[in-house]
Amino acid sequence: AYRGSDQTQLSKVLNRHLLRTERQARPCHDWKPQELQDFMATVLDHRSDEFQNIYVETKDRRRLLAEKNHEHRNRWDSLNNAVKDFPHLLEPQRESHCRQAVMWWTHHLAEDKRRRLRARNITVPMLPEGPKLKCGHGEDEEEAHWCVGINEPNNCDACHSSSSEIMV
């Protein structure tokens, strides 16, 4: 029910599920990376420690790699600065942030927290509905470093793809 045959199909399937519960959702391409970062910071402020503990104990891919909001902010600030030097990374960054934001919204908030945030008229990002963008040109070590940071949280297909080819 929460799977697709490829990146495009799985994003469409998951977006349909998202739109069933979220009255205020916006397509990924309508968000700026900094807006997505602010959205994710809000989710972090309301996240379930219980969910995180389960994900850590079971080595689940949904676990947060950093526990504190300021750790994420520092990483995002560094990434935003890198995108100024490598502007072709903007779209992969945006799409990765959308995937991460939807995952956090879905898997790191208890339903009562989502209800409270909805009551505050929060807008939720949707997943990008196309093939996953390639990150970088592969010509520079620094660029490759930033692509690792972009690609690491950009992997819904590992759990939601019904294809035998899992993109990592």
Side-chain angles (χ1 to χ4, degrees), residues 32-48:
K32 294 180 177 126
Q34 291 80 3
E35 292 172 319
L36 291 159
Q37 293 161 3
D38 290 341
F39 173 86
M40 289 188 286
T42 299
V43 171
L44 285 171
D45 288 340
H46 295 87
R47 73 181 175 90
S48 166

Side-chain angles (χ1 to χ4, degrees), residues 57-163:
E57 287 173 19
T58 60
K59 295 182 175 53
D60 191 294
R61 297 175 65 103
R62 294 172 288 189
R63 72 187 175 277
L64 296 172
L65 299 178
E67 290 284 331
K68 305 287 184 204
N69 205 324
H70 74 272
E71 294 171 296
H72 289 280
R73 286 281 186 193
N74 290 341
R75 187 178 149 283
W76 295 329
D77 288 346
S78 296
L79 183 56
N80 294 340
N81 288 329
V83 169
K84 291 176 188 171
D85 294 333
F86 301 99
H88 57 282
L89 300 182
L90 177 65
E91 289 307 315
Q93 177 195 23
R94 178 191 335 269
E95 288 196 1
S96 176
H97 279 355
C98 285
R99 288 185 181 96
Q100 188 171 35
V102 171
M103 191 275 288
W104 287 6
W105 177 259
T106 305
H107 297 292
H108 281 276
L109 292 176
E111 185 56 36
D112 66 314
K113 298 287 185 160
R114 279 194 293 271
R115 268 196 303 275
R116 286 185 208 155
L117 291 169
R118 287 180 195 120
R120 291 176 28 196
N121 293 318
I122 194 165
T123 299
V124 179
M126 296 170 63
L127 296 168
E129 292 188 349
K132 194 179 291 186
L133 296 176
K134 183 178 184 308
C135 184
H137 298 132
E139 301 169 4
D140 183 282
E141 275 187 47
E142 187 179 357
E143 176 198 71
H145 165 78
W146 293 113
C147 283
V148 167
I150 288 170
N151 286 330
E152 189 173 33
N154 193 20
N155 204 8
C156 307
D157 40 352
C159 297
H160 292 284
S161 177
S162 59
S163 168

